[in-house]
Amino acid sequence: MGFLFTSESVSEGHPDKVADQISDAVLDEFLRSDPDAKVACETLVTTGLTVISGEVRSDAYVDVQSVARRVINRIGYTRSEYMFDGSACGVLSAIHEQSPDINRGVVREKAEEQGAGDQGIMFGYASSETGYLMPASLMLSHVILEELADIRREGATMTYLRPDSKSQVTVEYGDDRQVKRVHTIVVSTQHDEFVTAADAGGSERKAEERMGERIRRDVQDILIPRVKERLRRDGDDRLADLIGDDYILHVNPTGKFVIGGPHGDTGLTGRKIIVDSYSGKGAHGGGAFSGKDSSKVDRSAAYAARHIAKNLVAAGVADEMLVQVAYAIGIARPVSIFVNTFGTARVALTDGRIAERIGRLFDLRPAKIVERYGLKNPIFEATAAYGHFGRTPYKAPVTFVENGKETTREVEFFTWEKLDAVDAVRREFGL
């Protein structure tokens, strides 16, 4: 008998994601001027207010208030009726200096022996069930919301859309554990009150029903076809084909969704870590990513573990793989590496032997991770919505501040998603 598996995603306008994006934008601003900055930034957003706190060790100056307002406006909170407006909300900063005790454990005379910023366990995961080497249900959840945000920004159709939204996709697997089809799609999107009781003969209930019917029709006839087109453009026809004509669709199941964003629900950095990673299909060590510089292995080692799992699956070592790395604070090398291939290994090695070879192939000392993936560059705001994994690597010009002057350099984003270790993996495993 087959089974069902469900993943969810939230949009860039979800209050927790607003907080994540502000935290990562603050981190990026420090890194523009000081690539060695140590940052642990936490953000809270609520009705009319943004509070930014955390620990920083840097000589750079960052106008935190301007950074927060820019991000909020970019997301789309630009109207006073949202009760959270980038140009008018209060912004409070409570950032202070990083503990010297933590810094002592991280900094070493030899840069490559930099210790881990904290103890912890980090996981990376990959699966061959999609071209992104990610779970099908999660990638569909992300793409639905990315496309919904594009529609909102274009302003040509579904003109009632507001920034806050959520999605959930259930996929059906067969007895062979292969994905067969999309079973259920749930979309909840904030919207204008574009039908009033007065428009519906004085009935609030009828007004809600008319709005609900319109949004459901637009999701089915506009959003879902665009999602399928986008997947095909990205070269994943197999994922697009999973969305047939027989899926169950729920749109705004509780009725109207006018009050949303930070006014509807307080947002905090780090509350959507499963959305950020693998939505339960792969494990998560518990540490959030956003707002943390790359000396924090919560972030950097999770990126490295994903890169390892993805390249090993792409190389044919296994069809599915979970990689765990564990660190002790102040110690450079991981205390353990664990692998689970879920019985899908294509090499005549135990998972323990595969883990040993990973230790030989990849230098997992924090400084080497930072160097390999370019994690001192200001590349993190882009990661803070729609998942840190399954993204397409790209290069873009980025502004830096050096000796008080702005310069522009091209840098790489999502480097941990590159398949640049496949040949080395194949040589190591004799594939």
Side-chain angles (χ1 to χ4, degrees), residues 31-51:
L31 293 176
R32 286 184 206 284
S33 300
D34 180 6
D36 294 316
K38 300 295 183 288
V39 179
C41 179
E42 312 291 345
T43 302
L44 175 150
V45 291
T46 189
T47 304
L49 180 64
T50 298
V51 180

Side-chain angles (χ1 to χ4, degrees), residues 287-306:
F289 303 147
S290 290
K292 298 177 180 178
D293 74 88
S294 54
S295 71
K296 282 75 170 173
V297 284
D298 276 346
R299 180 170 220 159
S300 54
Y303 290 171
R306 160 63 178 171

Side-chain angles (χ1 to χ4, degrees), residues 231-274:
L231 292 169
R232 295 194 194 286
R233 286 199 308 271
D234 288 350
D236 206 324
D237 289 347
R238 180 175 48 164
L239 195 52
D241 290 341
L242 293 177
I243 308 175
D245 298 323
D246 58 346
Y247 64 88
I248 299 167
L249 177 63
H250 298 292
V251 178
N252 287 5
T254 61
K256 72 176 184 179
F257 182 6
V258 173
I259 299 172
H263 178 50
D265 189 12
T266 295
L268 293 169
T269 301
R271 284 209 303 200
K272 286 292 176 283
I273 60 175
I274 302 304

Side-chain angles (χ1 to χ4, degrees), residues 69-368:
R69 295 191 189 283
R70 175 187 64 75
V71 172
I72 295 166
N73 285 323
R74 174 190 51 80
I75 292 168
Y77 287 107
T78 56
R79 291 155 58 181
S80 60
E81 63 193 278
Y82 295 161
M83 304 298 287
F84 184 76
D85 176 352
S87 298
C89 72
V91 180
L92 302 179
S93 174
I95 292 175
H96 59 274
E97 189 173 1
Q98 182 192 58
S99 162
D101 292 344
I102 294 175
N103 187 65
R104 186 182 302 117
V106 174
V107 176
R108 292 286 186 270
E109 287 186 16
K110 293 183 177 179
E112 64 270 20
E113 293 303 325
Q114 167 190 317
D118 199 354
Q119 70 177 47
I121 54 175
M122 280 56 67
F123 289 92
Y125 174 82
S127 168
S128 61
E129 71 183 35
T130 69
Y132 305 95
L133 301 183
M134 288 284 286
S137 53
L138 178 59
M139 291 309 301
L140 289 168
S141 297
H142 285 325
V143 173
I144 285 170
L145 294 185
E146 288 182 272
E147 202 60 35
L148 192 66
D150 286 347
I151 291 171
R152 172 170 58 86
R153 289 196 178 89
E154 290 164 9
T157 60
M158 301 179 75
T159 54
Y160 48 78
L161 292 173
R162 291 184 175 184
D164 192 1
S165 57
K166 300 176 74 171
S167 66
Q168 187 171 282
V169 176
T170 301
V171 297
E172 180 180 326
Y173 289 78
D175 293 336
D176 56 0
R177 300 185 65 82
Q178 300 300 305
V179 181
K180 301 303 179 185
R181 69 183 183 99
V182 169
H183 181 277
T184 302
I185 296 175
V186 182
V187 177
S188 295
T189 181
Q190 186 188 16
H191 58 88
D192 294 338
E193 194 158 10
F194 58 92
V195 179
T196 65
D199 298 326
S203 171
E204 284 280 355
R205 182 179 59 81
K206 288 184 179 179
E208 288 187 21
E209 287 176 353
R210 283 174 56 180
M211 286 191 289
E213 289 167 1
R214 167 74 183 281
I215 297 170
R216 177 189 170 85
R217 185 171 63 250
D218 288 349
V219 167
Q220 184 170 297
D221 297 341
I222 298 173
L223 174 61
I224 300 302
R226 283 186 52 147
V227 167
K228 296 177 73 170
E229 289 173 10
R230 178 179 181 144
L231 292 169
R232 295 194 194 286
R233 286 199 308 271
D234 288 350
D236 206 324
D237 289 347
R238 180 175 48 164
L239 195 52
D241 290 341
L242 293 177
I243 308 175
D245 298 323
D246 58 346
Y247 64 88
I248 299 167
L249 177 63
H250 298 292
V251 178
N252 287 5
T254 61
K256 72 176 184 179
F257 182 6
V258 173
I259 299 172
H263 178 50
D265 189 12
T266 295
L268 293 169
T269 301
R271 284 209 303 200
K272 286 292 176 283
I273 60 175
I274 302 304
V275 170
D276 285 342
S277 55
Y278 309 104
S279 198
K281 200 70 164 34
H284 194 295
F289 303 147
S290 290
K292 298 177 180 178
D293 74 88
S294 54
S295 71
K296 282 75 170 173
V297 284
D298 276 346
R299 180 170 220 159
S300 54
Y303 290 171
R306 160 63 178 171
H307 180 249
I308 292 167
K310 183 176 183 179
N311 276 266
L312 265 68
V313 168
V317 175
D319 292 329
E320 185 178 11
M321 182 173 292
L322 182 73
V323 176
Q324 183 208 61
V325 290
Y327 290 86
I329 187 169
I331 306 300
R333 296 188 182 277
V335 298
S336 69
I337 302 172
F338 165 84
V339 167
N340 186 356
T341 61
F342 306 95
T344 68
R346 294 178 174 270
V347 294
L349 294 169
T350 65
D351 289 351
R353 293 298 184 191
I354 293 173
E356 287 180 357
R357 296 197 179 198
I358 286 173
R360 294 201 297 265
L361 271 173
F362 298 91
D363 192 336
L364 290 170
R365 289 176 292 175
K368 291 299 182 181

